[in-house]
Amino acid sequence: MTLNKHLLKKISIGKKIFFVFIVFVLSFNIAKADNTVVSGISDVFNFINKNIVSQIRNDFCKQYILSISTGEWKSDEFRTKIGKKVCTSYKISDNSTEKISQKTIQQLDLNSITTQAESTNTPSVNVPTPNVYIPDTVTSGTGLSISQIINLTNTERKNNNSSLVNLKENNTLKKIAMIRVRDMFNNQYFEHNSPTGDNVSKEAVSNNYSYVTIGENIALGNFAGSSGLVTAWMNSTGHRANILNTKYTEIGVYFEQGTYKGQSVWIAAQVFGKPASSCKSPDTSLKSKINSYKASAESIMTSITKIDEELKTISATDTTSYNAKVAERNTLATLYNNLAKEIKTKVAEYNEGVTEYNACVKL
């Protein structure tokens, strides 16, 4: 008798749970259009079949398809046999959840890997034909003065072009001029290139004068003072061009009396220059960094290409493996794109320096 009471009590509880369940199910079938409740036991079963049973079936079949493709479920297992019967109509299409759940492959910012410009650092050397040979118009040595020659040269520059800067005396250029004058006396030649191949540009390198452009005027004879010497240079096309050159900012002058081919004469030299320091060179460390970034980007791209090939071999149903590989690729793609942006920024910065340098060189 006691057992029957307990049984009746359990049945009563079951009825209550079922009733609550029915009410819960019916609450999901409220029509939104007219707020009327859909009733009837058939509606309840349709709802259960559509929203619960179908979902359970789809979830089971999805797991079945994925698991047999990876070999996780063996062919002789009970769940596999059930799957073959229950899931015969379950198909994976291009619009299925398996496709939708695959991670999106991140695009690569390939256009940001740009190249940097190169500076046009080609030093120029201006050496006009040494045709300023002045015979013995003045038999005695004449009042030549380095400071006067420089002042007269700057006067000619201003008289012919008011925008030209005054040339500043540079001791290294003066030393180069002295070396050149003495070499001509010692080796008995009057040229811009010595018999041994020496010249003003080689002397500049030997004396650590780094330049954008350099030039030389030379003269041989007995001169009518500093004014006569500068006038002789101005009357010669090539030498005049050196004196009025817009690029030069510095000058060195030297003269000396000696014997040239049996005659007592003076040899004088003007050496003009624009030092490399007057033009700010592009940042070489920045260029090195750009090249290092590019090497890293190329290495990352190699890894991405390898993953792209691996993705082609992964089954469309193996979402787990596919997404893991895509996640790895996207991490690399993020690194690559960030690096590409940094390269683009650095290249723009470097190219701006190159542009400024090239403009300075051409001035």
Side-chain angles (χ1 to χ4, degrees), residues 15 34 46 73 82 87 89 93 108 147 172 180 189-190 192 244 277 295 343 359:
K15 287 181 179 179
D34 54 8
N46 287 337
W73 289 13
I82 292 295
C87 303
S89 61
S93 64
L108 298 175
S147 60
T172 302
R180 295 284 300 120
Y189 71 94
F190 183 58
H192 290 292
L244 303 181
S277 59
I343 291 172

Side-chain angles (χ1 to χ4, degrees), residues 168-185:
K168 295 180 180 180
E169 184 176 15
N170 179 279
N171 287 329
T172 302
L173 293 182
K174 178 181 178 180
K175 179 183 177 181
I176 293 171
M178 180 188 71
I179 292 171
R180 295 284 300 120
V181 168
R182 290 180 176 177
D183 190 59
M184 281 185 270
F185 272 125

Side-chain angles (χ1 to χ4, degrees), residues 257-316:
Q257 188 178 31
T259 301
Y260 177 73
K261 294 185 178 181
Q263 288 186 309
S264 178
V265 295
W266 294 76
I267 294 179
Q270 284 181 315
V271 178
F272 308 91
K274 180 177 182 177
S277 59
S278 63
C279 293
K280 184 180 178 181
S281 298
D283 189 347
T284 54
S285 64
L286 186 59
K287 183 177 180 180
S288 297
K289 186 174 291 186
I290 291 170
N291 290 332
S292 176
Y293 283 176
K294 283 186 175 181
S296 297
E298 289 173 1
S299 177
I300 293 172
M301 178 57 73
T302 299
S303 298
I304 290 173
T305 302
K306 182 180 178 181
I307 292 175
D308 287 341
E309 292 302 316
E310 291 175 355
L311 284 171
K312 294 176 182 178
T313 65
I314 298 176
S315 171

Side-chain angles (χ1 to χ4, degrees), residues 140-155:
S140 61
T142 60
L144 294 177
S145 164
I146 289 177
S147 60
Q148 284 181 356
I149 292 171
I150 293 174
N151 289 336
L152 288 168
T153 298
N154 281 329
T155 297

Side-chain angles (χ1 to χ4, degrees), residues 121 123 172-173 176 204-205 207-214 250 273-278 281 357:
N121 184 14
T172 302
L173 293 182
I176 293 171
V205 173
N207 289 277
N208 298 315
Y209 184 83
S210 180
Y211 61 90
V212 172
T213 184
I214 198 168
E250 298 178 339
K274 180 177 182 177
S277 59
S278 63
S281 298
Y357 177 81

Side-chain angles (χ1 to χ4, degrees), residues 220-283:
L220 181 152
N222 289 308
F223 315 116
S226 299
S227 178
L229 174 58
V230 173
T231 298
W233 273 324
M234 286 297 291
N235 288 336
S236 170
T237 303
H239 299 81
R240 176 189 178 90
N242 260 348
I243 290 174
L244 303 181
N245 193 308
T246 59
K247 293 184 178 181
Y248 298 139
T249 58
E250 298 178 339
I251 189 173
V253 173
Y254 185 79
F255 52 81
E256 193 171 286
Q257 188 178 31
T259 301
Y260 177 73
K261 294 185 178 181
Q263 288 186 309
S264 178
V265 295
W266 294 76
I267 294 179
Q270 284 181 315
V271 178
F272 308 91
K274 180 177 182 177
S277 59
S278 63
C279 293
K280 184 180 178 181
S281 298
D283 189 347

